[in-house]
Amino acid sequence: MSNSSSTLMEDVQFSHQSIPITIKHKEAVLPAGPIPVNNGESLYLSNLDDMIGCRVFTPTVFFYHSTPSMSKHVVEKLRDALALVLVPYYPFSGRIRETSNGKLEIFFGPNQGALIVEAHSSIAFADLGDLSVPNPSWSPLIYKFPNEGPYKLIDMPLLIAQVTYFRGGGFSLGLRMCHCLCDGIGAMQFFNAWATTARVGNLVASPEPCWDREYFLPRDPPLIKYPHTEFMSVADRSSLTRSLWEVKPVQKCYKVTKEFQEKVKFLAQETSNQDTNYTTFDAMAAHVWRSWVKALDVKPSDYELRLTFTVNTRHMLKEPPLKDGFYGNAVCVACATSKVEELSDHPLHRTTDLVHKARLSVNEDYLKSTVDYIEVRRPKVLEFGGKLTITQWTRFLLYESADFGWGRPAYAGPIDLTPTPQVCVLLPEGGINADGMLVCLCLPETACKRFQELFCFINKP
């Protein structure tokens, strides 16, 4: 690929700023009508719902341009629509508790519900700077409880929404949703119902949401048929973890055009001797992984690294199929492995093939084995040893699903990746008719220039 590649990707800089926040009001939001559970009752969470990687809140923020008069009743509109949506999506009004063997479930009691917070900031919307890429400075726009510990889930509201009004108009909606209740596709289903209900003024929940977590009950006895390298605890004898966790990494975002993505895919395909058809994700994930490992100069060269990513299994499940309205976790974690020296020395198509095969290895049988693995082993710690995790948000209709009546958001997505620096997020570009991608990841300051060079100028090692 020629040096013209540099025009097809851009290192997007964002400002580091302080956003002063004043909390004005907090309110629990309860379902607006009867729900099919009573106080003291509980709901089953599947092993896919309470695997260790889902025991988190997913923070996102949405920015909306508006005049002061337009944004006057934002909190009321969001609250009323949320109360309506919490009738069919009643599990979001419950709480999580731990049962025997560390298993989680949803339970219902008095004084629960979702939480909505009203906040005001003294800075103007225009002073927020570039809203095209995630910015860790926006963290105050997401509500956290005083002295809240990391990864706290027990007895927490499962949906926390903070509306922040900016001086002179414009506001943000900061959300924390518990990943145990939904994967990305399920979250979009819920979010779209909430936004549509707010926009039209009455409940719209289509497809009809369905809980059905018992679909993923483990087998009796459990049957683990695969090694499940994605969950393994490995001794990290490489320089990888040290270089990322012992220094404060910086968050970097690269705007990548559709043409750049197609060139990466073409190069992977062109140099392969196989008839395999790689996807854009196969090639881009491989390219990010190789560039990241080489930029970090990981040692020793014979250390085996892992690349993990989730695969949606909804279309694979046939006996019986999942219902359309299922919004729980229905993803499997795929895992590609490679030695450092192979990532560094082999051409792009070799790594792309590893990603491709890992993705295709996920099927209904693998999913059942995953459920059984978690039943038997129930991993307790997020394992980062020698691992990069790529999260693909480009498949979600983030912007299209977020019109509550104020139009598309100026930005929709995550904020701060630095607490988990071994995660890379692929985001859709936000502009109307935009077809580009944002590649967001964390690097030590010393590796940023090297990563950009490797990522921008694709060669054939």
Side-chain angles (χ1 to χ4, degrees):
M1 184 176 290
S2 71
N3 286 10
S4 64
S5 303
S6 58
T7 63
L8 305 180
M9 63 86 70
E10 174 192 357
D11 177 5
V12 185
Q13 305 293 324
F14 49 82
S15 58
H16 298 276
Q17 58 198 164
S18 174
I19 303 179
I21 294 293
T22 304
I23 302 292
K24 295 288 189 183
H25 183 66
K26 292 187 288 185
E27 182 180 355
V29 182
L30 299 168
I35 60 174
V37 289
N38 299 310
N39 283 348
E41 293 183 346
S42 61
L43 287 174
Y44 176 78
L45 283 169
S46 81
N47 285 345
L48 300 180
D49 292 321
D50 77 352
M51 74 167 86
I52 189 65
C54 291
R55 295 184 175 204
V56 294
F57 278 92
T58 304
T60 51
V61 70
F62 303 79
F63 288 99
Y64 296 90
H65 296 282
S66 70
T67 63
S69 59
M70 277 173 64
S71 58
K72 200 170 184 181
H73 303 294
V74 167
V75 171
E76 293 84 349
K77 192 171 185 177
L78 289 173
R79 180 198 61 209
D80 294 347
L82 181 57
L84 290 171
V85 168
L86 284 178
V87 176
Y89 285 98
Y90 61 93
F92 280 97
S93 66
R95 295 290 184 271
I96 281 182
R97 69 181 175 191
E98 196 169 279
T99 63
S100 60
N101 192 33
K103 187 93 176 67
L104 301 181
E105 68 178 11
I106 309 286
F107 81 100
F108 297 85
N111 305 314
Q112 292 184 344
L115 179 69
I116 196 158
V117 177
E118 179 182 342
H120 292 251
S121 180
S122 58
I123 73 168
F125 194 87
D127 295 336
L128 290 167
D130 189 346
L131 297 182
S132 68
V133 295
N135 186 337
S137 300
W138 299 339
S139 293
L141 305 176
I142 301 276
Y143 183 77
K144 284 199 170 182
F145 289 93
N147 305 315
E148 181 187 325
Y151 303 112
K152 177 172 168 54
L153 285 180
I154 305 300
D155 276 343
M156 289 278 286
L158 301 179
L159 175 69
I160 301 168
Q162 176 180 316
V163 175
T164 304
Y165 296 106
F166 299 101
R167 177 169 51 83
F171 62 93
S172 64
L173 170 61
L175 281 185
R176 295 173 72 198
M177 293 176 70
C178 180
H179 204 332
C180 293
L181 271 77
C182 51
D183 58 16
I185 290 170
M188 287 299 101
Q189 180 184 309
F190 170 84
F191 199 59
N192 188 55
W194 185 14
T196 307
T197 298
R199 196 168 64 245
V200 305
N202 54 268
L203 176 63
V204 180
S206 179
E208 183 182 345
C210 111
W211 186 252
D212 269 14
R213 307 303 163 104
E214 289 80 7
Y215 182 99
F216 295 110
L217 281 169
R219 291 172 286 201
D220 187 11
L223 178 59
I224 302 169
K225 295 174 66 175
Y226 304 90
H228 293 289
T229 316
E230 64 272 23
F231 295 118
M232 279 186 186
S233 176
V234 298
D236 194 350
R237 56 180 185 83
S238 77
S239 61
L240 179 67
T241 300
R242 186 170 64 253
S243 63
L244 279 170
W245 292 83
E246 290 187 3
V247 300
K248 175 71 174 169
V250 294
Q251 184 165 306
K252 302 294 290 182
C253 292
Y254 302 93
K255 197 174 286 187
V256 174
T257 64
K258 188 173 181 61
E259 186 181 354
F260 181 93
Q261 297 168 55
E262 288 171 348
K263 285 195 173 187
V264 174
K265 180 182 173 183
F266 175 78
L267 180 60
Q269 199 73 58
E270 179 192 40
T271 56
S272 172
N273 296 321
Q274 305 177 45
D275 295 328
T276 311
N277 287 319
Y278 299 131
T279 64
T280 301
F281 174 80
D282 293 338
M284 285 298 295
H287 183 45
V288 169
W289 191 21
R290 293 171 81 240
S291 303
W292 185 76
V293 168
K294 289 199 272 188
L296 290 173
D297 192 24
V298 179
K299 299 283 193 289
S301 61
D302 64 346
Y303 185 72
E304 189 155 83
L305 300 172
R306 292 178 288 179
L307 175 76
T308 60
F309 53 94
T310 57
V311 176
N312 175 29
T313 65
R314 283 166 171 78
H315 62 287
M316 304 175 188
L317 306 175
K318 307 292 187 190
E319 301 175 3
L322 267 181
K323 291 180 182 173
D324 281 348
F326 181 84
Y327 59 96
N329 288 279
V331 294
C332 251
V333 181
C335 184
T337 62
S338 177
K339 290 182 178 177
V340 174
E341 59 196 2
E342 292 166 350
L343 285 172
S344 298
D345 300 339
H346 290 173
L348 174 64
H349 78 82
R350 291 280 290 273
T351 311
T352 304
D353 203 54
L354 293 176
V355 177
H356 176 77
K357 286 174 177 170
R359 180 172 59 79
L360 292 188
S361 71
V362 172
N363 54 29
E364 190 164 15
D365 194 47
Y366 195 88
L367 179 92
K368 290 176 180 177
S369 181
T370 298
V371 170
D372 292 350
Y373 181 93
I374 296 168
E375 183 69 16
V376 173
R377 308 281 170 82
R378 204 157 297 282
K380 293 287 194 293
V381 179
L382 278 169
E383 296 292 344
F384 288 111
K387 185 190 288 186
L388 174 66
T389 296
I390 295 185
T391 304
Q392 188 184 9
W393 289 38
T394 47
R395 55 190 169 175
F396 307 142
L397 300 175
L398 274 173
Y399 289 85
E400 295 80 355
S401 299
D403 182 357
F404 288 84
W406 308 290
R408 281 168 62 103
Y411 171 82
I415 291 178
D416 188 4
L417 309 183
T418 56
T420 50
Q422 284 170 251
V423 174
C424 167
V425 182
L426 307 182
L427 291 170
E429 198 180 344
I432 294 173
N433 298 323
D435 58 7
M437 172 196 291
L438 297 173
V439 177
C440 305
L441 73 172
C442 298
L443 292 162
E445 193 80 61
T446 52
C448 293
K449 184 180 178 185
R450 175 72 173 144
F451 176 84
Q452 185 169 348
E453 289 171 349
L454 290 161
F455 188 65
C456 184
F457 302 112
I458 307 168
N459 52 24
K460 303 179 186 180

